[in-house]
Amino acid sequence: MNNKLTGTSAAILYAVTAAMMIFILAPIVLIIATSFSDSYFVTFPPEGFTFRWYGEVLQNEEFTSGLTFSIGLAVATTVLSVAMGVPAAIALTRGRFVGRSLLKGLALSPLIFPVLVTGLALLQLFSGYGWMDTKLKLLIAHTVVTSPYVIRTVLTSLQLVNPNLEEAARTLGATRWKTFTRVIFPQIAPGVASGSIFCFMVSFDNYPVSMWLADSANLPVPIVLYRQIGTVFDPSVATMSTIIIALAIAVVLVLDKLVGLRKAMAM
Amino acid sequence: MKSVEVRLEKLTKHYLGQVIAVDNVSLTVKAGEILALLGPSGCGKTTCLRMIAGLVDPTSGEIVVGGKPTTHTPVHRRNVGMLFQNYALFPHMTVAENVAFGLEMRGVGKAAREKRVRDALDLVQLNTFGDRLPAQLSGGQQQRVALARALVIEPSMLLLDEPLGALDKGLRESMQVEIRSLQQRLGLTTIMVTHDQDEALTMADQIAVMHQGNLEQIAPAGEIYRKPKTRFVAGFIGASNFFEATVTARNGHAAQLAAASGVSLQAEDMGSVQGDKVIVTVRPEAVTVAPLVGEGQTTGANMAVATVEQVVYRGFMLHYYLRLANGEPMVAYRQTQTEGFGNVVSAAGDRVLLSWASDANHVIQIN
Ligand SMILES: Nc1ncnc2c1ncn2[C@@H]1O[C@H](COP(=O)(O)OP(=O)(O)OP(=O)(O)O)[C@@H](O)[C@H]1O
Ligand SMILES: [Mg+2]
């Protein structure tokens, strides 16, 4: 069978695809263009070309500390999510306990809980734990939001691992731990990697949860950005956004180099 | 490699909320022998094997290996070599790394490991394949790697779960011979699971036939074919003609019987069969087919008049599908060129005279 589209239907399909791409990418391109705009206001189309805003933004103490704070928070969140998500996914695929298939179904279903509500709920919960550090609260809250991403990607790749591999390793003399590190983990590494990227991204640009829990000493960068817009609306906001986009792309590229992400996504 | 005896004592497995998968199975595999667990799908063969490997916990019963109870030894300390139907090679490791895995887990040093891996790959004739990944091998080669990986740890027994099921017929037969000769050379106690009776007859010293979780019979390959203990075994291993019969006279070991179909039978050896109601089985290849001389031809013991329903040409064998006067079916296998019809094959509708020797009658007790 020939699945190639021809004639009118092909033309329509290409047009729709192109429109879709423009729709998705245009705002981002606009932001990037604006970040080099040589004007004091956000204008369209951007005027001139300058690196001035980059110099300014990188001097901006509030922004740089927000950025480092968010990177730190995202890394910690990712590590914690992986540390909890991988064992959880293993338990959901291999374990035998009541309610397993229900939990598994929940973990695999689209993530339905509104994050805003989760944030509010956590704020209420934490109000009873006044001694707790804001950083810790943010870490826990972000992990609550991001760990399902790890569980899902790891669960999906675990389901593709032949259970006989595990048994073969065991009969060959491997303990459970050795079986995990030498046989299971290499099989699910791409899933862990793609889960980690989701985690990092979701935490890094999270606003609705951080908004409830952050304080002036602990400001993630999305909140810094929002405040910035509230005070001045000059191209520096676009510059900050561009830096964030660049960082995001860098993280993806690094992980791709490390574990071959494209392979993982294609699974 | 020192061989060990493997003994199962009243081994039983109930899966949660399931029927009984393995029911009170006791058997002994002598040191250095191959036992084939044979039976239809779902009869509990795999469950039995996995209990021996330690991958499934028995509900009750004992597994004794070399005189030592091992029922509660964890898998990784049982030192068993196991082959899976889907090979189960580690896809991210090379052939050599796969084979080295078990040695690494045992803390064998690098130099010794490399030598033993080389020897093991020699054994399965794959010495030039060490650097390949499993995905770059054919099915037969993958299973040979799996065999090398299982043998290199010098296991106390080899467990095979339909290891050749995924291979085509020709390759399967050559692998059967290869595994069999390796096993004999190493004197390795082996338990294999199969639902292919030819595979069991080719490879095994002893065959254990299972049916719905029960052990029906365990006996050497030839004996289980000639002297099936139950109707199920007689029907499962090879084909059989069955007669429901009543003993009319006993004379020492011998007896005269009358079959419900009107055929009279003369059995030479009743064995230990008690009672008057029995089943007599006759293998199709023991039945001679001859043209009927006249319709009134008298028939003696172990003879019957039948109508040919169909003749199937199977290379050097002809399969006759026949029907007795009372409507009961019979089957006879004859070599293509033998007595009776000579080169002329009888056709459907022909009336024929069937006969067989009295020692072809095998009597089975009805429980
Ligand atoms: N993990 C399990 N949980 C519940 N029931 C099981 C499990 N494994 C097997 N069974 C059941 O136990 C019985 C025996 O299964 P087993 O796999 O031992 O059969 P088998 O003889 O190997 O069959 P086959 O030739 O199809 O492989 C079957 O009825 C099967 O459904
Ligand atoms: Mg099976």
Side-chain angles (χ1 to χ4, degrees), chain A residues 164-165 167 172 182 187, chain B residues 50 86 89 92 104 106:
Chain A
N164 285 156
L165 291 185
E167 295 173 348
L172 288 165
R182 294 291 311 277
Q187 301 294 311
Chain B
R50 293 166 63 82
N86 56 30
L89 296 177
H92 57 292
E104 221 176 298
R106 283 165 175 70

Side-chain angles (χ1 to χ4, degrees), chain A residues 162 164-165 167-175 178 182-183 186-187, chain B residues 50 76 80 84 86 88-93 101-102 104-106 149:
Chain A
N162 173 2
N164 285 156
L165 291 185
E167 295 173 348
R170 299 280 285 138
T171 59
L172 288 165
T175 57
K178 276 281 179 203
R182 294 291 311 277
V183 176
Q187 301 294 311
Chain B
R50 293 166 63 82
H76 64 283
V80 296
F84 298 85
N86 56 30
L89 296 177
F90 307 129
H92 57 292
M93 297 185 199
F101 185 84
E104 221 176 298
M105 293 303 121
R106 283 165 175 70
R149 184 178 69 175

Side-chain angles (χ1 to χ4, degrees), chain A:
Chain A
M1 213 173 78
N2 189 353
N3 278 323
K4 277 220 173 76
L5 284 171
T6 48
T8 332
S9 49
I12 292 173
L13 191 66
Y14 287 136
V16 170
T17 311
M20 204 64 200
M21 294 309 286
I22 292 169
F23 184 69
I24 293 169
L25 290 176
I28 295 171
V29 172
L30 188 66
I31 291 278
I32 295 172
T34 308
S35 75
F36 297 105
S37 172
D38 192 5
S39 116
Y40 281 95
F41 307 99
V42 174
T43 55
F44 187 81
E47 298 160 7
F49 183 88
T50 178
F51 279 112
R52 173 156 47 102
W53 299 113
Y54 282 85
E56 206 157 280
V57 161
L58 292 175
Q59 298 294 313
N60 181 336
E61 182 76 25
E62 206 179 335
F63 175 70
T64 50
S65 69
L67 197 60
T68 30
F69 183 83
S70 273
I71 292 175
L73 180 59
V75 168
T77 300
T78 305
V79 169
L80 191 58
S81 298
V82 168
M84 299 196 321
V86 173
I90 290 175
L92 285 175
T93 36
R94 301 284 195 267
R96 279 189 210 112
F97 51 87
V98 182
R100 184 183 72 119
S101 50
L102 181 72
L103 279 174
K104 198 163 130 185
L106 262 176
L108 283 174
S109 68
L111 308 161
I112 43 173
F113 301 111
V115 175
L116 195 70
V117 177
T118 309
L120 181 59
L122 284 165
L123 179 66
Q124 277 190 358
L125 182 73
F126 288 150
S127 66
Y129 299 81
W131 50 269
M132 225 192 244
D133 188 43
T134 302
K135 289 188 182 67
L136 185 60
K137 288 179 187 170
L138 277 168
L139 175 61
I140 293 173
H142 277 211
T143 305
V144 167
V145 174
T146 60
S147 51
Y149 289 92
V150 182
I151 296 180
R152 286 179 72 184
T153 54
V154 174
L155 206 57
T156 320
S157 43
L158 263 177
Q159 279 171 331
L160 296 173
V161 178
N162 173 2
N164 285 156
L165 291 185
E166 218 169 309
E167 295 173 348
R170 299 280 285 138
T171 59
L172 288 165
T175 57
R176 278 185 196 286
W177 175 243
K178 276 281 179 203
T179 304
F180 176 73
T181 57
R182 294 291 311 277
V183 176
I184 307 301
F185 191 77
Q187 301 294 311
I188 61 170
V192 175
S194 57
S196 306
I197 288 182
F198 279 123
C199 273
F200 186 90
M201 290 309 181
V202 169
S203 162
F204 189 63
D205 80 347
N206 178 285
Y207 184 85
V209 170
S210 302
M211 160 188 118
W212 299 109
L213 299 169
D215 58 28
S216 55
N218 302 285
L219 280 181
V221 78
I223 293 179
V224 174
L225 225 66
Y226 184 74
R227 287 189 171 186
Q228 179 81 9
I229 295 175
T231 45
V232 280
F233 195 45
D234 62 13
S236 69
V237 176
T239 308
M240 293 174 180
S241 308
T242 306
I243 291 173
I244 290 173
I245 293 169
L247 241 156
I249 293 175
V251 169
V252 172
L253 288 181
V254 166
L255 267 168
D256 180 38
K257 264 273 174 292
L258 286 180
V259 290
L261 186 69
R262 249 163 293 157
K263 205 174 75 192
M265 296 294 202
M267 279 206 319

Side-chain angles (χ1 to χ4, degrees), chain B residues 45-46 161-162 193:
Chain B
K45 309 178 293 287
T46 297
D161 191 356
E162 311 216 20
V193 161

